[in-house]
Amino acid sequence: MEARDATAASGLAAGTTRPRLGAASPRYGEQAIKGILALCALLSVVTTIGIVVSLLGPSLEFFKEIPVTDFVFGTEWAPSEAADPDSFGVLPIVMGTLTVTLWGLLVAIPVGLGAAIYLSEYARPRVRKVLKPTLEVLAGVPTVAFGFFAFSFITPLLIDVWPGFLGDPPNIFNAGAAGIAIGLLIVPIVASISEDAMSAVPAGLREGAYALGASRMRVALRVVFPAALSGIVASIVLGISRAVGETLVVLMAAGSLPFLGITFTEQIQAMTAFIGVTATGDISTGTIEYDTIFAVGLLLFVMTLVLNLVSIRLVRRFREVYE
Amino acid sequence: MKKHKLLTALFALLAAALTLGVAACGGDEENDGAESGGEALSGEIVIDGSSTVAPLSEQIAALFQEENPDVRITVGTAGTGGGFERFCAGETDISDASRQIEPEEEKLCADGNVEFEEITVANDALSVVVNPDNPVTCVSTDQLNEVYGPDSDITSWADVPDLDEPFEAELAIFSPGADSGTFDYFSEAVNGEEGEQRRQGINIVGENDNATVTGVAGDEGGIGYFGFSFFNENQDQLKALEIENEDGDCVPPAEETAQDGSYNPLGRQLYIYPSADALQEPVVQEFVQFYLETANEVIPQAGFIGLTDEQLSDSQANVDRLLSGSGGSGGSGEETTE
Amino acid sequence: MNEPGSARTRRAVAGARAAVAAGIENQPTADVRKSIAFQAFLLFTIGVAILGLALLLIDAFVEGLPRFGTELFTAETSALPQDSGFYNAIIGTLLVIAGVTAMTVPVGTGAAIYLEEYADRERWWNRLIEVNIQNLAAVPSIVYGILGLAFIVRGPLSIGFVVLAGSMTLSLLVLPTVIIAAREAIRAVPPSIREGSLALGATEWQTIRRQTLPAAIPGIATGVILAISRAVGETAPLLLVGAAAFVTFSPEGFFDRYTVLPVQIFTYFARAQDEYIVLAAAGIIVMLILLLAMNSFAIWLRNRYEQKW
């Protein structure tokens, strides 16, 4: 503003009005439109508040009855036996979620990273033409299809080919099949974000390494991979977050019996499946069993929130370094 | 310019979606509330509850809808317990149940100002199913208690005492979840107290009866339980155990044994509970009447076990009393069980 | 000396390239072997992904094929599985999705415009909104179901288990994705377009309405369709918000009860008769076809209308 005033003031004789570059009228319409658009954006904040409020209220009711330490550290989860105050320890279903996530990562990390490295470093056109659409289709397959696949194909297959030395064959409901299906489900997340991170590594780094005589594998593993590490870790964290929040696959294939521990062959109950089963069954509002839905929902929300904040931090780091 | 054409097209699509919605909303208001008097009834009936009774309710709902295309019936499977909770909160018109309503639930309904009637619609022989390769023929409730009891920790058929044929396979135990009326009924009959059942080493299939079928059929040592219709549908894959009744006879689950009462203690009845409020609607009255009329025709093809003549006339009398409006009784505890 | 383009330059460049290439290719054999093994490993992992997807699709096809035919799309739900089709569920899905589209496109685009064009990035509240949107995109879908159950079906709005409740719940779920996609599309419009318009005296809103937005619409449309196709496959929140198990009618308005395709599939999956399992698999095929159609449309849109700046 001052610069304009100065030049105007210096270039004009006294008595002439200074031309103003601002709007001629207050432009209330513009303000109104800006207000409306801001409201649209604020809706997201309202949603978050809504989620927190809808979870917090009944959760606080719940925690009046059951101390938080019992909830978080207790080892027995049987809310249908509400009379027994020891049956509200959430660890078994948290372990259920984490177990399935673990098997999922065992599938998704090698496959996802392999695909990402290939796409960014090797990228032979024929393979690329098959791989890219595969990833896009995988990302679009609905979760009910994954659940169906886990129960009707993966589980029977596992039961059939299960080698004796690994012990008993899997149950009809087992954590392993659900985990494998979830792994397949999150491969596109890991692959696409890792690929973005690897592509963002400046060509100069790669070319320098090639010029020094490094093989492609060495460049991929020793130059690009470490350089893109924060983005790769972000992709894995996002994949974990997705796996933790997945409901249908565990509901259809992993079972409804809480199990404290890591297992591949036994059934487990995940937090999301517990919410799904309970909310569509017992819904007597105001009882402790009903409030468990909200307490577990709150825990889920907090877990994914933390994971997401971590991944945002990591993504910001890899973007800043190279842009 | 192609930009503007696309813009207009999208706006038009949005506008169309909105007008469709608004017009449909407006049109819908006219259909709300039943119209009586004409041949074509209209209105909505919301049914929820037992997954055992649901297939029967669905068949009858579908038939009713063929004759009355303007009626909308939805059937949910929240489980007998879940169904009652919705019912007592006023969210459903009819509750399907595979066991009778319990005192706590009656109180819940009283608190929610929901009055209801209990109508028996079918018999059921709660079947205990095993793999066809299992040689055992007959079990008693004590033996079942060994397998399913809350303190049970056995893992093999060999640990079940007094089997009529030796069998050593590993146990693969299946059960519905705690919401299920079948679970309630079975746990009371076998373990002595409703809701008590072992928690380790058992597969809870929730409302997924298919998982019990697949699981038991696929495992030599499999054992599970559900309503007779599910066994009936899958006789090629499963075998039902005979149950030792109070007279000491081994009785298989079947239509005759359920109806004459010899299949005990796992014989039971299936019910629908319409609410007094719902019964004010002509469409619900017609539906309940229709239910009883067609039940015994539909039941055989649905795989259920029909009512005896005596039960049918009892239920019919109940319904007649209701429909003639001679005062809705607030909950009926006076139904006699077989 | 050496002019660019002269034969001598060209030969020199070619020679330099050959030397570098020779240097690169001259690798110790161990390294070469490891490199080949590594490449094979990568191809193997990619193969797992492709195989996994192929098996999933083949499994659904093989199991559902006996029931496949046009009646699957046109038959209503009936008590007998042999006579049932997915017509009611398809109508339910379409109605719910229409509601979601009507709600998310204006609000999502509006929010994106605000964040990209108006909001001052330095203000803490704008940054909070941005972080908030990113967090919402990662919240598990079932939590949205709880939100819908508590506030829309019951609670303050109390509209019951109707189509509108499903649409609103899914809209909240999908909105963050729509906002993010719309922002990408708006961001892709080069600043020169905006600056030119402002320089000619247009107001902010005029610039947006006549220049930026029309240019960004293909991108927004593509993003919206992809976000919405995700909503088509969402089951968990709708289970809680009341897409009922067995409906024999098609919803006609936003205040009717309903069911949607994925919930219908899920319910059939849990039935004890074999025919229902076949029906569930056939339903998955129906869904995949629907999604394929939507995604192809989005890709066609993008290819046809994409502006190359």
Side-chain angles (χ1 to χ4, degrees), chain B residues 2-4 6-7 10 14 17-18 20-22 24-25 28-29 31 44 46 55 58-59 61-62 65 71-77 86 91 207-210 213 230 233-234 237 301, chain C residues 78-80 95 98 101-102 105-106 154 161 214-215 217-218 221 244-257 267 269-277 301 304-305 307:
Chain B
K2 55 182 176 187
K3 290 182 205 164
H4 286 160
L6 188 55
L7 193 60
L10 281 169
L14 270 179
L18 282 168
L20 185 76
V22 172
C25 284
D28 193 52
E29 321 263 313
N31 280 337
E44 192 180 69
V46 180
E58 287 169 11
Q59 295 240 17
Q65 213 154 295
V71 179
R72 282 116 177 279
I73 310 178
T74 60
V75 181
T77 49
R86 287 204 170 149
E91 290 184 8
E207 299 300 320
N208 186 350
D209 299 298
N210 173 52
V213 174
F230 296 125
E233 299 275 331
N234 293 289
Q237 299 180 62
Q301 86 197 44
Chain C
S78 127
L80 293 169
L95 210 56
T101 315
V105 170
R154 303 201 181 115
F161 293 104
I217 280 197
F246 179 83
V247 275
T248 51
F249 55 88
S250 304
E252 280 171 18
F254 282 97
F255 288 96
D256 281 351
R257 294 190 174 243
T267 326
F269 167 80
R271 295 303 187 86
Q273 290 94 319
D274 269 339
E275 298 100 32
Y276 278 120
I277 308 301
L301 250 183
R304 173 109 167 72
Y305 289 102
Q307 306 266 8

Side-chain angles (χ1 to χ4, degrees), chain A residues 135-156:
Chain A
L135 289 176
E136 286 190 15
V137 173
L138 264 180
V141 172
T143 50
V144 68
F146 277 106
F148 184 85
F149 181 56
F151 184 76
S152 76
F153 185 85
I154 302 183
T155 296

